[in-house]
Amino acid sequence: MVPLLYPGVKRIRGAFHVYPYLDGTVFEKTKCLFSLFRDTGHHLVHNNKAGGLNSPLSKPLSKNLKEERTGKDKDIDGRPRLGELQAPSIKSQSSDTPLESEAPLSHNLEGQQYVEAGTYIVLEIQLDKALVPKRMPEELARRVKDMIPPRPPLTRRTGGAQKAVSDYHSQIKSISRAILNEYHRMFGKHRPKEESDIDNETMEEQKCQLNYELNCSGKYFAFKEQLKHAVVKIVREKYLKTTAFESQEELQTFISELYVFLVDQMHVALNQAMPEDAPSSTSTIQTSSEQLRLFAFEAEVDEKFEMAAVYYEERLVREPQNLENWLDYGSFCLLTEDNIKAQECFRKALSLNESHVHSLLLCGVLAVLLENYEQAEIFFEDATCLEPTNVVAWTLLGLFYEIQNNDIRMEMAFHEAFKQLQARTLQTKLKSTATVQNIEEGVKTEPSFGPWGITQESSTAIKSEGQTGIRPRTSHPLSPRPTVELHPQPQGPNTALSSLDEFLEESSKAQSDSQEPIITVQPLESSLTQKSSNALLKELTSKKETSKCQDSSAFFSPTHQAIPQPPVTIFMETIRFLMKVNAVQFVHRVLAHELLCPQGGPSCEYYLVLAQTHLLKKDFAKTEEYLQQAAQMDYLNPNVWGVKGHLYFLSGNHAEAKECYERTVSFVVDASEMHFIFLRLGHIYLEEKEYDNAKRTYMQACKRSPSCLTWLGLGIACYRLEELTEAEDALSEANALNNCNAEVWAYLALVCLKVGRQLEAEQAYKYTVKLKLKDQALLEEIHSVQEMVGFGNPSF
């Protein structure tokens, strides 16, 4: 009856075993000496011709049957029992032991024959309305909308920073035209075609005369007043300065910064006004959003979180309406444990698309972490309504109910997740198989999905299995959609199986109707029949997890050879999702379920996830311990050796890291993070001066996922091999992807010094110093090469 307590369930139907009736069992469970069902059953046996269960004679005869049974009990010993004559009800309530007059199970011949025959009865219970109402999808969507209202795009303002800069450009162009007209009036429109035709003294003299004329005529003051309004708008709109400065030093710093910006923008405006005189602009490589994501991920791994934040924010500025950019930035905030900012990012993504399931799940996870449990329930339920086949959504909903100690709904969510995972696994398998060969009958049948995702053949095939004794094992007794346990029927198997066909067909039809879900209930196992439903609901130990996983996985495998076990459990799939979004705080709770579930258990991936979580905390001892256990389970797993290499690399043991990385690269199947494996392996090769191996490794990385770091490594390897042309090409690519890397400028300076390009060497060295190169050994190498060639340092 427990499934009737699931939200929205109004109808249950299931097959139940027929067991012998014993007064002691009834008394232990109900604390009553008699059962209406037992009396009605005896009445049907003795009065079969009277009309059956629905006969009008059945109800008035129930009292007579009780009196008749009392008379029979008296005849057993020849005299009535003293306690029964005085107060039988008092004895039934005060005693917890079975009655002495009951016959043991072995002596109940009438009931024993039903047990031996495997008899079962199909019962169906239907209510007018569900005991526990279920929230409608419309209500969930409305509540999510109330929490996160959709934000319309902001109307474009007539002002703003862009408008202020544009006005400044317009004023610069206007003033430049006025000054040019004044110059032509004073010195004529014809100017020399070549700069060598006019000397510097003449140019200085003309400049002084022009300045004198502008000051005397008052035009210089007019130009300054013309620019004043545009500069004030830039200060207010661009730099958001509307209050007085606190100190003179702060004022001078701001004026210096503003002056540099105004001069740069003046040059931009002049180049636009006179394009024929403007120098040709150099072609720049526009990085894509995926490249920025890669650069940010590289900065994350190197723990350069400020640089990673810059890349993520640049993606948001470029595409503010792309919800994937907000999700990635929120995941980064989870890594840095900034949960408030992560929640804002996930809710922004959800406001862009209210039907995005991943955004709903991440909002729910953040709500749980911030202990907003009411909002978390709404997010998770809305996700399951929008995508009922999502395994992760059902699993996270079950974990949430576990936190709330809502055992019934937790069982419902976990079982639904198991069912969806098994159905998806079967669907994937059956897509690759057009037909299924029936070995026993030698005929081909088209596979189809039953109401719980199992494969249904023709009715003949099912009957054949029933006759041979092959039966699917049962699911958990408290699961939301448990199944019917099939037993070999020596007496009338065709009749029983035909009713089963009808039952499966009706269940399949009913399940397709979302408005009225059908819940099928199976009989409890013999070891569980001695416990009440309330007692079973309170058992949240490992035994419950074991029974859930075993029964659910066993049911969907009628035979050992037909359908293989799925490669992952619902908990491991949820762990993968949480690790991808850096929700490490939530992972350990799911790992506990994975450990208790025998379908998963302590697997190689389980220990690998544990090692990764401890590696993030820099707990190298625990990480190594878990990696050893993972390697013992799957010695050929490339991910194990990759993470092991990261462990040794971060702990400073580069020799061991090199061996692990080389082993990972040699595998046929790539690890999940080959980009960083190539980067760190190439770094170790450069340290050990194995430049050929370093060049080959970095070339593979550049082919897979080019970035500034991969091109830089390739450029360093080529430079050390005296391949200066290839080194310059690689370093130029690195500089195009990131022109703020001091190490790239340093090696460009070395290459220019070696090939004898003085101007470029000085420019590269200038940016090396400006960006504050931290590698002192590399800086000393540049100084030594500069002294050797005699140029490259303007301070000489």
Side-chain angles (χ1 to χ4, degrees):
M1 300 299 177
V2 174
L4 285 176
L5 298 178
Y6 295 161
V9 176
K10 297 188 295 184
R11 182 183 179 190
I12 61 173
R13 180 174 180 168
F16 297 85
H17 282 297
V18 176
Y19 291 100
Y21 175 82
L22 296 175
D23 286 340
T25 304
V26 175
F27 176 76
E28 180 182 355
K29 291 182 175 294
T30 64
K31 304 302 179 183
C32 297
L33 286 174
F34 56 87
S35 170
L36 292 177
F37 292 110
R38 182 207 61 183
D39 295 337
T40 305
H42 281 287
H43 165 67
L44 291 177
V45 172
H46 295 290
N47 303 279
N48 192 20
K49 297 181 180 180
L53 183 62
N54 295 326
S55 173
L57 299 178
S58 59
K59 294 183 179 179
L61 286 177
S62 59
K63 183 175 180 181
N64 297 332
L65 287 173
K66 297 176 188 176
E67 297 174 356
E68 182 182 350
R69 183 183 177 279
T70 305
K72 290 182 179 180
D73 291 341
K74 293 180 181 180
D75 296 336
I76 293 175
D77 297 330
R79 51 191 173 89
R81 300 186 185 90
L82 180 60
E84 291 180 356
L85 285 174
Q86 295 178 353
S89 61
I90 298 177
K91 180 178 179 181
S92 65
Q93 296 177 1
S94 62
S95 175
D96 293 335
T97 59
L99 299 178
E100 297 176 357
S101 63
E102 356 174 285
L105 179 61
S106 58
H107 295 166
N108 192 341
L109 300 179
E110 181 182 0
Q112 187 65 25
Q113 63 181 349
Y114 291 103
V115 175
E116 294 176 354
T119 307
Y120 64 89
I121 183 172
V122 177
L123 297 179
E124 179 179 342
I125 300 176
Q126 186 170 359
L127 307 176
D128 292 337
K129 62 179 181 178
L131 297 178
V132 180
K134 183 179 180 180
R135 289 180 179 149
M136 299 302 293
E138 295 79 8
E139 179 187 358
L140 292 171
R142 179 184 57 80
R143 298 191 64 175
V144 170
K145 201 170 188 179
D146 293 340
M147 288 189 295
I148 308 176
R151 302 176 183 176
L154 297 176
T155 56
R156 187 174 295 276
R157 296 173 54 189
T158 56
Q162 186 177 0
K163 183 68 164 55
V165 175
S166 177
D167 292 344
Y168 177 74
H169 288 173
S170 301
Q171 298 299 330
I172 288 292
K173 294 176 183 178
S174 174
I175 294 173
S176 64
R177 286 193 294 267
I179 294 176
L180 185 60
N181 293 333
E182 186 68 21
Y183 179 86
H184 291 163
R185 186 185 66 78
M186 294 176 61
F187 306 106
K189 293 186 178 182
H190 300 285
R191 63 178 182 83
K193 295 182 179 180
E194 297 182 2
E195 294 182 359
S196 58
D197 294 345
I198 185 172
D199 55 3
N200 292 332
E201 294 181 0
T202 305
M203 290 181 63
E204 287 294 328
E205 184 179 354
Q206 291 180 354
K207 180 179 179 182
C208 291
Q209 293 178 12
L210 179 61
N211 287 334
Y212 178 79
E213 180 65 23
L214 292 176
N215 281 292
C216 291
S217 62
K219 293 181 179 179
Y220 178 81
F221 180 77
F223 293 154
K224 186 173 68 172
E225 290 298 321
Q226 185 178 349
L227 271 180
K228 182 185 294 185
H229 182 65
V231 173
V232 170
K233 286 177 63 177
I234 288 178
V235 172
R236 291 179 177 176
E237 300 293 339
K238 175 92 177 155
Y239 291 94
L240 305 178
K241 296 291 185 181
T242 56
T243 58
F245 294 94
E246 296 180 357
S247 62
Q248 189 68 21
E249 182 181 356
E250 183 181 357
L251 175 60
Q252 292 298 328
T253 302
F254 173 72
I255 290 176
S256 300
E257 182 181 356
L258 177 62
Y259 176 77
V260 172
F261 176 78
L262 293 176
V263 171
D264 290 340
Q265 294 301 317
M266 180 189 69
H267 292 157
V268 172
L270 292 176
N271 292 334
Q272 293 175 354
M274 294 174 287
E276 65 276 4
D277 297 333
S280 59
S281 59
T282 58
S283 59
T284 58
I285 299 178
Q286 184 70 21
T287 55
S288 63
S289 180
E290 290 300 323
Q291 285 179 313
L292 291 175
R293 175 68 184 89
L294 177 61
F295 301 161
F297 196 29
E298 288 178 340
E300 279 183 29
V301 175
D302 293 338
E303 297 184 354
K304 299 177 181 178
F305 297 125
E306 293 182 359
M307 184 182 298
V310 171
Y311 287 124
Y312 282 121
E313 290 169 1
E314 185 175 350
R315 296 180 73 205
L316 294 177
V317 171
R318 288 188 181 184
E319 298 176 305
Q321 300 301 317
N322 189 337
L323 60 86
E324 293 296 334
N325 296 345
W326 290 100
L327 294 180
D328 290 339
Y329 190 34
S331 301
F332 167 73
C333 294
L334 273 180
L335 180 65
T336 58
E337 298 183 354
D338 190 352
N339 293 341
I340 301 298
K341 186 177 289 187
Q343 184 185 40
E344 294 176 0
C345 293
F346 295 148
R347 294 200 172 196
K348 175 63 177 179
L350 188 58
S351 66
L352 295 176
N353 184 1
E354 296 178 355
S355 300
H356 193 252
V357 176
H358 281 189
S359 300
L360 284 168
L361 294 179
L362 291 174
C363 286
V365 169
L366 260 296
V368 171
L369 295 178
L370 298 176
E371 298 182 356
N372 297 327
Y373 297 120
E374 183 178 357
Q375 295 182 5
E377 183 178 12
I378 295 173
F379 287 132
F380 288 140
E381 285 192 11
D382 195 18
T384 56
C385 289
L386 289 174
E387 192 173 336
T389 60
N390 193 305
V391 176
V392 177
W394 285 108
T395 307
L396 289 176
L397 181 61
L399 293 170
F400 167 76
Y401 284 138
E402 183 191 30
I403 296 174
Q404 296 293 300
N405 295 324
N406 193 334
D407 308 335
I408 296 177
R409 295 197 181 188
M410 180 192 70
E411 294 283 349
M412 174 200 68
F414 282 162
H415 186 275
E416 186 68 22
F418 273 115
K419 187 192 75 171
Q420 298 300 336
L421 179 63
Q422 294 284 1
R424 188 182 64 190
T425 304
L426 292 176
Q427 198 169 20
T428 303
K429 182 178 179 61
L430 292 177
K431 281 182 181 179
S432 60
T433 306
T435 57
V436 177
Q437 181 73 29
N438 192 324
I439 301 176
E440 294 181 358
E441 298 185 0
V443 296
K444 293 185 179 180
T445 57
E446 292 295 330
S448 61
F449 286 104
W452 308 283
I454 63 174
T455 305
Q456 290 182 339
E457 308 295 342
S458 63
S459 60
T460 307
I462 297 180
K463 293 178 182 179
S464 176
E465 290 184 1
Q467 293 173 356
T468 55
I470 300 176
R471 57 192 176 118
R473 290 176 285 179
T474 60
S475 177
H476 196 278
L478 297 179
S479 56
R481 288 184 177 87
T483 57
V484 179
E485 181 176 359
L486 298 182
H487 288 271
Q489 303 292 331
Q491 300 178 0
N494 294 333
T495 305
L497 287 169
S498 62
S499 63
L500 175 63
D501 288 337
E502 181 183 357
F503 167 65
L504 292 175
E505 183 179 358
E506 292 179 1
S507 300
S508 179
K509 292 179 180 178
Q511 190 178 10
S512 62
D513 186 4
S514 59
Q515 301 297 328
E516 186 181 359
I518 290 184
I519 304 295
T520 20
V521 182
Q522 69 169 19
L524 301 178
E525 297 292 339
S526 59
S527 61
L528 298 177
T529 53
Q530 305 300 323
K531 299 181 181 179
S532 64
S533 299
N534 293 332
L536 286 173
L537 288 176
K538 296 179 181 178
E539 295 181 0
L540 293 177
T541 58
S542 60
K543 182 178 180 181
K544 181 171 61 178
E545 292 290 344
T546 302
S547 63
K548 284 188 299 182
C549 299
Q550 283 180 335
D551 296 335
S552 180
S553 61
F555 166 70
F556 293 102
S557 301
T559 61
H560 296 287
Q561 294 82 10
I563 302 169
Q565 293 287 341
V568 294
T569 64
I570 61 172
F571 303 113
M572 186 54 67
E573 185 162 339
T574 306
I575 288 170
R576 292 175 182 175
F577 170 77
L578 294 175
M579 289 295 292
K580 185 178 179 181
V581 298
N582 299 322
V584 184
Q585 300 117 318
F586 216 81
V587 167
H588 290 284
R589 178 180 294 274
V590 193
L591 283 172
H593 284 273
E594 176 68 15
L595 182 62
L596 294 175
C597 182
Q599 189 183 6
S603 60
C604 174
E605 190 172 3
Y606 168 80
Y607 287 117
L608 189 60
V609 172
L610 274 177
Q612 290 174 334
T613 56
H614 284 84
L615 188 61
L616 290 174
K617 301 176 183 178
K618 299 299 178 63
D619 189 354
F620 297 140
K622 283 288 187 181
T623 303
E624 186 173 8
E625 176 185 348
Y626 292 131
L627 285 175
Q628 292 293 344
Q629 295 179 358
Q632 290 176 2
M633 290 190 168
D634 190 357
Y635 191 76
L636 300 178
N637 192 328
N639 288 318
V640 174
W641 291 100
V643 177
K644 206 170 186 179
H646 296 329
L647 167 65
Y648 290 130
F649 184 87
L650 294 176
S651 60
N653 190 351
H654 287 187
E656 293 290 339
K658 175 184 173 182
E659 293 182 4
C660 293
Y661 287 147
E662 288 177 341
R663 184 185 294 270
T664 306
V665 173
S666 64
F667 282 119
V668 177
V669 180
D670 290 337
S672 59
E673 296 181 355
M674 291 301 297
H675 182 77
F676 300 102
I677 292 173
F678 283 128
L679 283 179
R680 289 176 171 175
L681 180 59
H683 178 78
I684 295 173
Y685 282 144
L686 291 178
E687 283 185 344
E688 298 180 356
K689 299 182 179 180
E690 298 180 16
Y691 301 125
D692 288 326
N693 292 334
K695 178 181 177 181
R696 183 171 59 254
T697 302
Y698 280 118
M699 286 185 67
Q700 293 182 20
C702 291
K703 290 179 181 178
R704 288 171 172 263
S705 51
S707 67
C708 175
L709 298 182
T710 58
W711 286 113
L712 172 61
L714 180 59
I716 295 173
C718 292
Y719 173 78
R720 298 303 179 188
L721 292 172
E722 299 296 332
E723 300 174 356
L724 299 181
T725 303
E726 291 81 356
E728 184 178 5
D729 293 340
L731 293 171
S732 299
E733 291 289 337
N735 186 261
L737 293 175
N738 182 8
N739 59 2
C740 295
N741 191 311
E743 195 172 359
V744 175
W745 287 109
Y747 277 99
L748 279 173
L750 286 174
V751 171
C752 293
L753 289 172
K754 288 291 184 70
V755 298
R757 297 204 294 266
Q758 180 178 354
L759 180 60
E760 296 177 6
E762 291 179 354
Q763 291 291 328
Y765 176 72
K766 179 182 71 174
Y767 284 109
T768 301
V769 176
K770 183 179 180 180
L771 295 172
K772 299 178 181 180
L773 179 65
K774 297 179 180 180
D775 191 346
Q776 293 298 323
L778 181 58
L779 193 60
E780 292 176 1
E781 181 181 359
I782 294 175
H783 291 160
S784 63
V785 176
Q786 288 173 345
E787 293 177 359
M788 181 179 64
V789 299
F791 62 87
N793 191 345
S795 62
F796 284 169

